[in-house]
Amino acid sequence: MTQTPLQASVAYAHAHTDAFIEQYKELLRIPSIGADPACRADVRCAADWIAAEMVRLGLDHVQVLETEGQPAVYGDWLHAGPEAPTVLLYAHYDVQPVDPLALWVTPPFEPDVREGKLYARGAVDDKSGVFLHLKALESVLNATGKLPINAKIIFEGEEESGSPTMEPFIRAHRDLLNADAVVISDGGSSTEIPEIGASVRGIVTAEVHVKGPDRDLHSGGFGGVVHNPTHMVARIIAALHDDEGRIQIPGFYDAVLPVSESARAWIEAEEPNAIEEARKEVGTKPFWGVPGYSYLERATAQPTCDVNGIFGGYQGSGTKTVLPAEAGFKVSMRLVNNQEPADIAAKFLAFVERFTCETVDIEARIISSGWPAEFVTTGPIAQAAIDAYAPTWGHAPKMSRGGGSVPIVGMFQHVLGAPVVSLGLGHGGGVHSPNEYYNLSYFDKNVDTAIHFYFNLVRG
Ligand SMILES: [Zn+2]
């Protein structure tokens, strides 16, 4: 009996699973920590490894492209004809830092298999997106001699740093990256039910420095006569929220829309489970937030403003009667629906500006930003992704609305104007933590998912 191209591709992938996993370890051994300047050569090495692999697969126009930050890797295969869709596949090959190193059972860049789990930094987030797409493409190309779709592939090297230079990069390469749809394969699932991303929040991060006297002073000699920078920091932070948690930056909520019907339905269905899961992380203290919203509405559909750290003055044990010369804090704001990062950044800076006075210097600067974004969850492209899981996992995926931020999603939406769909190919745990692992019993399921997705895009 002859196999369909889909069946032949899946059969090829299954026949090579062990070899694929061995080869995956090669990529996992490269310490491509994008945020660590000491790893710069390693990041480049990972980009070159991926480019060489693309060439080996027979992709065209393979290139390591420079950005203002870490290099991106591009390749394409555009021979499926004008009738077939052109899809941009995205993942990132940079990984999170590894500290605290002492908590790793085996070194993070020496991949180790224990009880069916492949332990290494980046095993799920997000070398899985890079490697499993490459293996799915390889399986289809080797089994059938062609792809059913026109594929463009872009792998980023600075996602874990917030993609600081990717927006100008995408603008500069708009024609190269232009596609009918963008597929974000970042991370994946952790239970037997696959998850498909439906939305992410945007983000603005900032830092505020308050400088007072030229040097630290004696609080006995100068307390009460010199303006204490830590007091100004406390005043600014205290003014950020009212007593019930509403953010007091003028105009902050202007672009926040009522929760959409689909988001409302998701929130209601997921609320009990989300609270139960959150309990495990939070402990026994009651939740806290702006009155009138449910837990998941606060966690995914409302904006936030959180101080992430405060510095200034004496932090050691006992007493030191110092009047510190300097103090400051770091803040992150999560944005939803129509909030624009540049607008929120300007409003935050104007808010801090209001505290300007002669007795201390206040400097505020924006560190990073990203758009809030909705993935497409209906229509043929989203359906191709949704239907790619059930044949291999045995379960249809469920939608997930994230409280976190993936700035690249909004960049693709705003710069390319293309719909973005989520198709995570990871399965495991320890993401951004010690002992990150890929659950190997899901390795070929996820390669299959990618293969099914490519064929689903051109069905009937
Ligand atoms: Zn990631």
Side-chain angles (χ1 to χ4, degrees), residues 409-430:
V409 179
M411 292 179 203
F412 283 131
Q413 272 179 354
H414 287 268
V415 180
L416 299 184
V420 181
V421 66
S422 144
L423 187 89
L425 300 176
H427 192 290

Side-chain angles (χ1 to χ4, degrees), residues 175-382:
D175 290 341
L176 185 72
L177 302 176
N178 201 27
D180 298 315
V182 181
V183 180
I184 304 280
S185 295
D186 187 3
S189 314
S190 54
T191 69
E192 58 178 21
I193 311 291
E195 281 182 25
I196 281 197
S199 66
V200 289
R201 290 197 284 192
I203 188 164
V204 171
T205 64
E207 194 170 301
V208 176
H209 279 243
V210 180
K211 292 187 181 121
D214 290 349
R215 64 185 74 87
D216 284 2
L217 301 172
H218 190 308
S219 73
F222 296 94
V225 291
V226 169
H227 198 168
N228 186 327
T230 60
H231 298 185
M232 178 54 87
V233 163
R235 268 188 66 201
I236 299 171
I237 292 174
L240 283 169
H241 302 87
D242 72 8
D243 288 351
E244 293 186 304
R246 287 175 205 87
I247 297 157
Q248 300 297 298
I249 298 168
F252 189 85
Y253 291 100
D254 284 358
V256 178
L257 304 173
V259 174
S260 70
E261 246 172 68
S262 60
R264 171 76 56 208
W266 176 83
I267 285 167
E268 277 168 15
E270 294 296 322
E271 179 87 4
N273 192 27
I275 289 177
E276 199 184 311
E277 286 300 310
R279 263 288 150 244
K280 295 178 194 159
E281 308 265 339
V282 175
T284 54
K285 290 270 188 306
F287 293 116
W288 186 89
V290 178
Y293 299 107
S294 71
Y295 171 84
L296 267 184
E297 207 167 346
R298 288 175 184 158
T300 65
Q302 283 292 308
T304 68
C305 175
D306 273 290
V307 173
N308 307 119
I310 304 181
F311 67 90
Y314 180 63
Q315 314 274 337
S317 60
T319 301
K320 185 183 183 201
T321 53
V322 65
L323 193 158
E326 201 180 330
F329 65 98
K330 287 172 184 279
V331 64
S332 61
M333 291 161 271
R334 302 284 174 173
L335 317 184
V336 297
N337 36 58
N338 284 357
Q339 286 183 302
E340 288 191 19
D343 178 58
I344 294 298
K347 285 171 173 162
F348 175 79
L349 295 176
F351 171 83
V352 175
E353 177 97 31
R354 289 197 324 199
F355 292 85
T356 302
C357 61
E358 285 179 358
T359 45
V360 290
D361 294 328
I362 303 173
E363 280 170 32
R365 70 181 184 97
I366 303 300
I367 299 173
S368 67
S369 66
W371 298 89
E374 296 272 329
F375 293 95
V376 291
T377 54
T378 55
I381 291 159

Side-chain angles (χ1 to χ4, degrees), residues 90 92 94 124-126 159-160 185-187 406 431-432:
Y90 163 91
H92 66 89
D94 63 314
V124 169
D125 185 16
D126 178 40
E159 195 276 342
E160 300 293 3
S185 295
D186 187 3
V406 187
V431 168
H432 291 210

